[in-house]
Amino acid sequence: MIIHHVKQTPIAWAPDELSAAINKYTSHTSSVSNTVLEGADLIHFHNLFLETNIRSLIQYHSEPEKVNLNFKGPKSTLAQYHATLCEYRGFKVLRNVIDFAKPEYNIELSNKGGPLIVGFTPSTNHATKYGTKGILETLQVLEKLRFKYLNRFEYRLLQGFPIKESLMIRKSCHILIDECATDSYHRTGLEALALGKVAICSLSKDVEDVLLKSSGAKYSPFENVQLQNLETYLEQQLEIDISKIIEKGLANRGWMEKFWKPEDVVGDYINYYKDVLNGIC
């Protein structure tokens, strides 16, 4: 099967990671560009679609207000908060692939004797009706703790770095914050788990159910911390031996290896592609 992905914005490089994983873990061929590839068996559109006679599907990565919902073929979305939105009701739910077999995801244990280091990876500064991501409020908490606990607490703000450099910086952290303002985890949260770190986000019960159903796990590995409780939570971590925090992070990597294997995630996509080609969906 020749699969071609069409995107016109980065979308956290998720289409590129998926395409690379298809090439790595299956016998199928995959590529990515901003135009339709003539000769492809299947076109996987991401957030947008173009006119084509080739069998195709669309996957929505962003809020409904940012995409065109008029696609007439099979529709899918992410196994995150998207799957709980009424606009995406009935769409196929698929996970973000995280290929943690790549060298940049090799486990590197953080310093056990130094300060507690927290990384923050906000995905956007822009507010939408789904939330502001709490960037300013989170930074206020981190700054407050940095001044309050000199030599015991540090943080890293990770915005604007190339993905490989960002992953390297995150490896130096003990705890990674996805974001604590909305009801979902994001790709950055999954990357934190894959790096073997304690991962903080805020999850609604509905989104947690999506996570468990899509992974087959019976528990969520995320630290479910609301923004108003973030300062208290981090202060509590300062009272814990850092080796225990590192141990919890390694358990999170184990969760990913059991419930979020890249080959399993890719397999879900391949099965869906076959159904689309066979007219089952």
Side-chain angles (χ1 to χ4, degrees):
M1 185 182 354
I2 299 174
I3 305 141
H4 186 66
H5 300 263
V6 176
K7 65 167 193 173
Q8 291 191 343
T9 59
I11 321 178
W13 304 108
D16 306 77
E17 290 293 313
L18 172 59
S19 182
I22 290 171
N23 289 326
K24 180 177 179 179
Y25 292 106
T26 79
S27 60
H28 306 286
T29 300
S30 183
S31 57
V32 186
S33 77
N34 61 1
T35 60
V36 170
L37 176 67
E38 297 301 328
D41 297 308
L42 182 78
I43 302 296
H44 184 154
F45 291 114
H46 297 267
N47 272 359
L48 62 91
F49 58 90
L50 306 173
E51 291 299 322
T52 179
N53 292 322
I54 301 172
R55 189 65 64 90
S56 57
L57 64 103
I58 195 167
Q59 184 174 25
Y60 293 110
H61 300 248
S62 303
E63 296 91 340
E65 64 190 27
K66 295 182 178 180
V67 300
N68 187 335
L69 294 172
N70 295 322
F71 184 74
K72 302 301 182 184
K75 302 180 180 71
S76 62
T77 191
L78 294 178
Q80 294 168 197
Y81 77 92
H82 313 66
T84 68
L85 302 179
C86 61
E87 292 92 340
Y88 295 158
R89 185 174 294 125
F91 291 10
K92 179 72 173 179
V93 177
L94 295 163
R95 293 177 283 174
N96 252 323
V97 63
I98 308 292
D99 187 6
F100 47 79
K102 295 194 296 186
E104 49 263 47
Y105 285 97
N106 289 348
I107 297 296
E108 293 184 12
L109 297 182
S110 306
N111 188 342
K112 293 184 180 181
L116 179 69
I117 304 175
V118 176
F120 180 34
T121 54
S123 58
T124 178
N125 286 316
H126 303 296
T128 73
K129 71 177 183 179
Y130 300 98
T132 66
K133 305 294 177 75
I135 295 175
L136 294 179
E137 296 89 341
T138 300
L139 287 176
Q140 287 172 355
V141 169
L142 295 174
E143 272 291 290
K144 180 179 179 179
L145 294 177
R146 185 171 71 87
F147 279 103
K148 185 176 180 179
Y149 298 98
L150 292 175
N151 302 318
R152 292 185 58 204
F153 183 93
E154 295 180 5
Y155 75 89
R156 311 275 190 266
L157 176 62
L158 292 131
Q159 275 187 310
F161 291 97
I163 181 63
K164 287 188 178 182
E165 185 177 352
S166 175
L167 291 172
M168 288 301 299
I169 297 171
R170 281 182 263 177
K171 284 184 179 183
S172 69
C173 301
H174 302 100
I175 297 173
L176 292 172
I177 302 172
D178 184 340
E179 54 105 344
C180 301
T182 68
D183 289 338
S184 189
Y185 65 97
H186 306 275
R187 183 177 182 85
T188 51
L190 295 171
E191 290 169 345
L193 299 175
L195 288 167
K197 307 298 179 180
V198 171
I200 297 175
C201 62
S202 52
L203 291 179
S204 68
K205 179 62 168 59
D206 287 344
V207 173
E208 185 174 16
D209 287 346
V210 170
L211 171 71
L212 300 182
K213 182 177 180 180
S214 61
S215 66
K218 295 190 180 300
Y219 69 94
S220 165
F222 289 109
E223 300 296 304
N224 194 348
V225 181
Q226 303 299 313
L227 187 57
Q228 64 268 25
N229 301 321
L230 179 61
E231 182 178 343
T232 299
Y233 173 85
L234 291 176
E235 287 192 304
Q236 290 172 344
Q237 303 315 297
L238 284 164
E239 302 305 316
I240 299 173
D241 191 295
I242 284 181
S243 64
K244 297 295 184 183
I245 296 174
I246 293 173
E247 184 179 327
K248 182 182 288 187
L250 292 176
N252 287 342
R253 171 61 177 251
W255 187 95
M256 289 290 286
E257 291 173 348
K258 184 174 182 179
F259 298 110
W260 214 278
K261 294 178 183 177
E263 53 266 48
D264 291 344
V265 176
V266 169
D268 291 342
Y269 280 90
I270 295 301
N271 289 335
Y272 183 49
Y273 295 159
K274 291 177 179 178
D275 287 344
V276 171
L277 289 174
N278 290 327
I280 297 175
C281 56

